[in-house]
Amino acid sequence: MRQVRMLMRGLVRRCPRCGSSGIFSSWFGLRDVCPRCGLQIEREDGYWVGAMTISVVSTMLLFVVLMAVAVIWTWPNLPVVELIAGGVVGSIVFPIVTYPICKSLWLATDLAFFHVEAGKLPSSAE
Ligand SMILES: [Zn+2]
């Protein structure tokens, strides 16, 4: 259950290792190191592709679910213009607002399932 606790901490923008809320300096500003436990947060180039993947996949899932609900709810008189406008705006705003959560969730996923911490990466250990 250690992994679940780490993922839950990531979902609420906390350090996955110690639970500190200080890993963000602002909504979008991520510190280089956790101020409580010293977990290295800033990583090599390309590390945050996992966070972008979480962001894209969660946005697509939300889009599909909300469109299905809207189509079922309004059938057979679909408000096509409103659905398209809502879909476009939601697909732009949602990933921007939730990107910090995706970053802390990716950090937690990486730590919980791959046990990778900066300085202990397989490529840098050799
Ligand atoms: Zn920490």
Side-chain angles (χ1 to χ4, degrees):
M1 293 294 91
R2 188 169 157 253
Q3 284 95 352
V4 173
R5 186 175 50 213
M6 284 181 169
L7 292 176
M8 297 315 283
R9 287 174 175 169
L11 269 175
V12 293
R13 301 173 67 239
R14 289 179 174 266
C15 173
R17 189 160 74 183
C18 72
S20 168
S21 61
I23 61 171
F24 283 91
S25 58
S26 64
W27 182 260
F28 293 105
L30 197 56
R31 297 185 197 282
D32 292 344
V33 177
C34 173
R36 185 192 289 171
C37 71
L39 175 67
Q40 184 76 34
I41 296 168
E42 192 53 49
R43 305 291 178 92
E44 74 281 357
D45 288 341
Y47 178 76
W48 298 111
V49 170
M52 283 188 263
T53 303
I54 292 173
S55 178
V56 169
V57 169
S58 62
T59 301
M60 288 172 48
L61 285 175
L62 182 71
F63 178 84
V64 167
V65 168
L66 290 181
M67 278 296 159
V69 168
V71 166
I72 291 169
W73 192 293
T74 59
W75 191 264
N77 302 316
L78 299 176
V80 175
V81 174
E82 288 83 358
L83 288 177
I84 291 172
V88 168
V89 170
S91 295
I92 292 170
V93 172
F94 181 78
I96 292 172
V97 171
T98 60
Y99 190 60
I101 297 169
C102 295
K103 286 182 99 170
S104 60
L105 186 59
W106 171 246
L107 190 63
T109 302
D110 192 32
L111 193 63
F113 295 104
F114 307 116
H115 310 287
V116 177
E117 295 189 29
K120 297 179 182 175
L121 300 172
S123 59
S124 65
E126 295 172 358

